[in-house]
Amino acid sequence: HRAMAKTVKGAARMVELLRAGDPVLLSYVSALLADAGIAAAVWDNHMSATVGGFLPSRVMVPDGDLEIARKLLAEAGIPCRG
């Protein structure tokens, strides 16, 4: 699987780490990554809420932090993409 990416001028390239519709899981993953110093962002959160969770939100991390973020989630028992 190839991670989806978006480049913003002057910002790090963000890649998808996880898709989830569970707001508690999204909050936990965000806190776990923040504690490790990884600047994660939750994308599509408003779209997910608009359509009743049918479309999952995406947790995005800087490309350079993807491998360590995957390891953190694996250690926490959370499966991720890729």
Side-chain angles (χ1 to χ4, degrees), residues 6-45:
K6 181 177 181 178
T7 303
V8 178
K9 187 174 182 176
R13 178 180 127 125
M14 300 294 280
V15 293
E16 183 179 326
L17 173 67
L18 173 76
R19 285 184 188 214
D22 179 354
V24 175
L25 176 61
L26 292 167
S27 178
Y28 176 68
V29 168
S30 295
L32 184 69
L33 295 169
D35 285 347
I38 298 174
V42 178
W43 288 7
D44 305 325
N45 207 21

Side-chain angles (χ1 to χ4, degrees), residues 40-75:
V42 178
W43 288 7
D44 305 325
N45 207 21
H46 296 291
M47 284 301 296
S48 181
T50 301
V51 294
F54 178 71
L55 295 173
S57 298
R58 297 177 290 160
V59 177
M60 307 294 285
V61 297
D63 189 30
D65 292 330
L66 181 60
E67 290 307 314
I68 189 69
R70 284 182 177 160
K71 286 180 183 180
L72 286 168
L73 266 58
E75 289 172 2

